[in-house]
Amino acid sequence: MAPAVRGLKSLVWQKLKSSVFDDCRKGEEWKVILLDDYTTKLLSLCCSMTDLLGEGITVVEKVYENREPVPHMKAIYFITPTKKSVDGLIDDFITRSSRRYKAAYVYFTDFCPDNLFNKIKSSCAKSIKRCKEINISFFPYESQVFTLNVPDAFYRCYSPTLEKTKDKDAVMQVMAEQIVTLCATLDENPGVRYKRYKTEGPAGKEREAILEEDDELWVKIRHKHIADVIEEIPKLLKEVSSKRKATEGKLSISALAQLMKKMPHARKEISRQVVHLNLAEDCMSKFKSNIEGLCKTEQDLALGTDAEGQKVKDSMRVLLPVLLNKNHESYDKIRAILLYIFSTNGTTQENLDKLIQNVQIESDSDMIRNWKYLGVPVISSSAAQQHKHPRRDRSSEETFQLSRWTPVIKDIMEDAIENKLDSKDWPYCFQCPPTWNGSGAVSARQKPKASYQDEQKSSARLIIFVIGGITYSEMRSAYEVSQAHKSCEVVIGSTHILTPKRLLDEVKSLTKPKDMVCIKNE
């Protein structure tokens, strides 16, 4: 059974079921499905092999790899409209006598260019029973998070080496078309507002564990603070053991292993909880050993105040312990230097050179210097004034001392829902739709279908898209704001997901020639 979660993953799976599998269903007939790299990842994000078996799929293959022919079976081709994938399709039906399958049902993720369509038409049209465009050009990363799988967007949009090329316009066009497929899947025709942001704030045998949407515990804790997770998982484990009266006293990994042997029917549930307990303990161990002090420094520099609310008077004094600590990696020190520069609205060239030299990060200095291409005043001057989004007062909110920083995007989400975004800073792309009042949808929906969208028609949906990557804390904000504003579901997406290390690597690459930039997919 497909995961019974609401949200993007469920919506995409339902759309694939109706547009692909139901469309070519004929009795109890079994089929082969051919995928490319993109559609393989897309399917893996929203369904399992068991789900595919339920739809009559008995074999899953890559479209451009050599395969054994199965001439008595029909094949579904769920592929992207690219030359490589189309060539794989055509190769399967070059001649009637050598064709690999009985017939082909072709479903493209997006618009198929005329040249590729005509190539198919002239090569194997008689073998094709269906040929449709599904229009799903995004990945449902989580129930309220999507990505466009455009990891080079940061470089193409901000690199000074591409200023005189059309790369930026091209990637913007592609992203716009992909976002349209998201809106179509959500059954939304939203009003669009935009802002050109130039910068954002700041034991035993190993085994592989897959963290996925049908793991209810993972969905529940993935965006929680580590301190809450450390408290919650042992409670759940004790609940399991107390229900079965199989163990007493303090729980340990060895005790849980014995518990699993005694109760095979509970093995999967307990195994998942043990995985999360191990992960949480590993994270806390790393945190206590080295990261705790670093977090305090980062929070103080990012907010300009310490945990007691006192203003930081000397940012350099806060920064120095991190720079002098030999246990911190260069990435940690660079990140701290950047926060120092952001907090002081730039520094002098002499001071920057000394910092780079003393910390011995000359080879990575572009991770700092290249922020100027994002509009951040690395070197202070009378003309360098960074535009900062006015922050909400969160002084009354309960928070952990080492997690006081709130992403700017959370303020934007709340301002959008409460209709407080400045129309000068956030203009509409076209005629302004009905005013968002925090309770009704801005979307220009016409006739919602009787579906998940129909269930949600009484509430609003806010879609946030960020060019150049989003962080996990920004993803968490979407869930927090949705929980606080019950009448509005916040969906957030980007070109890709950022980690602190990946962001610095991408900033460093901005000044490299295009042919020397190697950007990995997620």
Side-chain angles (χ1 to χ4, degrees), residues 423-449:
S423 59
K424 293 180 180 178
D425 288 338
W426 293 88
Y428 280 95
C429 288
F430 44 83
Q431 186 176 359
C432 180
T435 302
W436 180 298
N437 59 17
S439 61
V442 171
S443 167
R445 298 180 195 164
Q446 298 300 319
K447 295 180 181 179
K449 299 176 183 178

Side-chain angles (χ1 to χ4, degrees), residues 288-327:
K288 288 292 185 183
S289 65
N290 198 36
I291 299 176
E292 189 170 6
L294 178 64
C295 286
K296 182 182 184 306
T297 296
E298 289 183 337
Q299 294 294 311
D300 291 354
L301 289 174
L303 288 160
T305 57
D306 60 21
E308 287 71 42
Q310 298 298 313
K311 186 175 180 180
V312 173
K313 296 180 180 178
D314 188 345
S315 297
M316 181 58 75
R317 180 173 290 183
V318 176
L319 172 66
L320 279 177
V322 172
L323 302 186
L324 297 174
N325 190 326
K326 295 181 179 179
N327 293 323

Side-chain angles (χ1 to χ4, degrees), residues 458-473:
S458 61
S459 64
R461 180 180 282 125
L462 174 65
I463 303 171
I464 302 281
F465 180 74
V466 182
I467 298 172
I470 53 172
T471 64
Y472 289 103
S473 60

Side-chain angles (χ1 to χ4, degrees), residues 381-398:
S381 68
S382 57
Q385 291 296 320
Q386 181 184 352
H387 174 74
K388 293 186 178 181
H389 185 84
R391 300 309 310 269
R392 285 191 166 223
D393 180 10
R394 300 185 184 273
S395 56
S396 61
E397 295 181 7
E398 286 190 21

